[in-house]
Amino acid sequence: MSDEVLVIGAGIGGLCTALSLAPTGRRITLLERDQAPPGDDPDTIFLDWHRQGAGHVRQSHAFLARLRTIIKRSHPRLLDDLKMLGVRDLTFDMMLTERQREAYEPEPEDADLTIITSRRTTLELAMRRYVETLDNVTIRSGFFVRELLTRQGEDGVTEVLGVSGEEQGEPVKLEADSTVDASGKSGFLITKLMDDGAPIAEESETAGILYFTRHYRLLPGVEEPSRSDNPPASGDLGYLKFGVFPGDNGCFSITIAVPEIEFELRKAILNPDTFHAITLELPGLAPWTNAERSEPRGKVYGMGDLISRWRDMIADGKPVTRNYYPLGDTLVRTNPLYGRGCSFAAVSAEVLRETLEETQDPVQRQIDYHSRLRRELRPYYINQRAQDRSAIKRAKEALTPDYRKSWRGKMIESFFDDGVRIALRSDTRLLRQAMRGFHMLEHPNKWLGKPGNFGKVLYYWSRGKKRNAEAYPPSPGPARKELMQGLSINYTADIDRLAAQRQTTP
């Protein structure tokens, strides 16, 4: 195989594409707008690697089991390289409650429910260094792709021939048999196709949330907090969500997600002192961020423009383009709450490899590629979008003092809070099956759709709070009013703003 493949972007999506296509023998060139990493030391890379093309690079990141499985199967040496740089494995048993651990009996498939976590810059560094060792892969840093080279086919389909752009300030045109667009969240090439009349269908809506991340480092000689002796290091208070992401080389990050509607809180949290003060008020975070355990490093990194978006490159049963394969955030985006973005890119790259290998017809390739993506990714997109809509509604209700939940709403909330959640914290077998959906190893709702599993959830729900008391986690943190008053943030400002909006809305 001697096909030429251009990959726009050398972030996670572009690197996953190289990993997937390299074994096919194709000549692959990654075109990356940013410069190469300034060295091989993870700390230096974190501080000094400027990634204009990936503004979210210093947000918390993790690779779900689906992506880890792909790497383990096809590139086991890369797993070793990741570990040598300090990248961590979070295994299934680390997710169990203390009661579940007491009776835990490992199953062979538990090893597949493992998360890879570290600073995103370290993940990219290891992947990039590995990809650079592959004989048929080239990374061209400092190459800014300005537009796609296209022509209209006789059938009206836009054929992509390659790209044009600038490399180190010089104009360059490159042609290829296939062009993969992994330019990500900030990519504009696909929108230019849409502006030029390509009938690319798009559905899009806000995820209703903003992310704020700060990095910390454990003090010399100090270990991470015990997971069994401390409250859960992630939680949802309605007016904010939080989580700890253990990193490499003694580092970890804290991400706090705030609903868009919480204007005052999201403004205040950008202040590093306020962010740190919030962590100390949350029982699951305080053991990590107290002064005896760790020290904060750097500023608070905010990330907005979080949307759910699905783009469809098939119109009326026919492909919109030929020889052009968008993937990752270029094509599908979801709220990064569950860390599925990297896995979406990896799965898309695997689907692309399978498609290119199975058929030579350019039209059929497009149809097969996007049909497979719909089958593989659409269920997770819909699942996350439904959760986002529910969270947006819940956040608005919290700022409406006279709101009263309907009987049906109370029952649905109780089913998930007092049924599903308690069942998963009590029954390890149920948790194991649910985690397969979380890790994109099977449909996200499959486990609950099984009659036996649904019956177990109903059993725990019917037991009532008193009999299930030991399975409830401790309170994840203070109420909204209490926290905001303690931080000298006006807790009524957003309530008053929404009330005023309701009065002026016809």
Side-chain angles (χ1 to χ4, degrees), residues 468-479:
N468 289 330
E470 292 186 6
Y472 282 89
S475 171

Side-chain angles (χ1 to χ4, degrees), residues 249-312:
N249 301 293
C251 297
F252 63 92
S253 60
I254 303 288
T255 291
I256 298 176
V258 180
E260 286 181 339
I261 204 169
E262 291 277 4
F263 281 16
E264 297 302 315
L265 183 56
R266 75 188 217 199
K267 286 188 299 183
I269 203 172
L270 280 169
N271 182 314
D273 292 336
T274 301
F275 185 99
H276 186 68
I278 291 175
T279 70
L280 297 178
E281 292 298 321
L282 302 177
L285 299 188
W288 290 79
T289 63
N290 68 73
E292 291 74 35
R293 178 87 59 180
S294 65
E295 60 182 1
R297 306 189 70 209
K299 67 177 185 178
V300 177
Y301 296 95
M303 180 169 66
D305 187 31
L306 299 179
I307 62 172
S308 294
R309 181 177 66 204
W310 185 277
R311 286 171 170 158
D312 203 328

Side-chain angles (χ1 to χ4, degrees), residues 412-427:
I412 293 175
E413 183 178 90
S414 176
F415 174 73
F416 284 99
D417 287 349
D418 306 314
V420 173
R421 179 177 62 158
I422 299 306
L424 294 179
R425 289 179 57 83
S426 301
D427 191 313

Side-chain angles (χ1 to χ4, degrees), residues 416-441:
F416 284 99
D417 287 349
D418 306 314
V420 173
R421 179 177 62 158
I422 299 306
L424 294 179
R425 289 179 57 83
S426 301
D427 191 313
T428 303
R429 289 172 296 178
L430 281 183
L431 179 63
R432 183 180 286 119
Q433 294 187 52
M435 290 302 291
R436 291 188 61 80
F438 173 84
H439 281 289
M440 297 179 59
L441 298 174

Side-chain angles (χ1 to χ4, degrees), residues 29-277:
T29 303
L30 278 67
L31 308 175
E32 171 55 50
R33 64 182 293 179
D34 295 326
Q35 296 300 322
D40 293 304
D41 175 67
D43 288 340
T44 300
I45 297 303
F46 177 77
L47 294 172
D48 298 336
W49 193 11
H50 301 294
R51 295 298 315 281
Q52 185 178 354
H56 55 292
V57 73
R58 287 175 177 80
Q59 294 292 329
S60 299
H61 278 77
F63 287 176
L64 299 184
R66 181 72 178 271
L67 176 48
R68 185 181 184 276
T69 300
I70 291 171
I71 295 173
K72 181 180 179 181
R73 181 185 66 237
S74 302
H75 300 277
R77 183 166 62 85
L78 175 54
L79 275 184
D80 295 335
D81 292 349
L82 287 163
K83 291 179 180 178
M84 286 181 64
L85 283 179
V87 174
R88 305 275 301 283
D89 279 348
L90 300 184
T91 54
F92 175 69
D93 60 287
M94 298 169 69
M95 304 171 195
L96 303 178
T97 65
E98 186 173 359
R99 291 181 64 208
Q100 287 173 315
R101 288 193 192 99
E102 293 174 357
Y104 174 56
E105 295 183 4
E107 296 287 345
E109 64 264 31
D110 291 352
D112 296 330
L113 302 176
T114 299
I115 293 173
I116 296 175
T117 181
S118 84
R119 291 172 291 186
R120 159 87 179 245
T121 49
T122 305
L123 292 169
E124 280 200 28
L125 176 65
M127 294 179 70
R128 185 174 176 128
R129 292 297 183 243
Y130 177 86
V131 164
E132 288 173 329
T133 68
L134 304 177
D135 292 338
N136 55 330
V137 178
T138 301
I139 300 179
R140 293 170 67 164
S141 299
F143 193 117
F144 183 69
V145 177
R146 292 201 173 276
E147 60 182 358
L148 300 170
L149 300 177
T150 63
R151 69 182 176 197
Q152 290 297 114
E154 295 181 359
D155 55 0
V157 176
T158 300
E159 184 175 357
V160 176
L161 308 175
V163 304
S164 68
E166 296 178 0
E167 186 173 25
Q168 311 300 344
E170 296 295 325
V172 181
K173 289 186 178 181
L174 299 175
E175 294 190 359
D177 301 286
S178 301
T179 299
V180 178
D181 191 346
S183 52
K185 179 180 176 181
S186 60
F188 57 86
L189 299 170
I190 192 170
T191 56
K192 190 173 188 306
L193 283 175
M194 297 167 70
D195 293 341
D196 290 342
I200 299 171
E202 177 180 294
E203 55 186 66
S204 177
E205 62 184 71
T206 180
I209 205 165
L210 293 92
Y211 276 52
F212 302 91
T213 294
R214 197 176 190 198
H215 291 261
Y216 290 76
R217 170 159 256 155
L218 295 170
L219 297 176
V222 177
E223 297 183 352
E224 292 178 352
S226 166
R227 285 176 170 77
S228 59
D229 297 336
N230 291 289
S234 62
D236 184 355
L237 291 167
Y239 65 93
L240 64 79
K241 299 176 175 65
F242 64 89
V244 174
F245 291 76
D248 56 280
N249 301 293
C251 297
F252 63 92
S253 60
I254 303 288
T255 291
I256 298 176
V258 180
E260 286 181 339
I261 204 169
E262 291 277 4
F263 281 16
E264 297 302 315
L265 183 56
R266 75 188 217 199
K267 286 188 299 183
I269 203 172
L270 280 169
N271 182 314
D273 292 336
T274 301
F275 185 99
H276 186 68

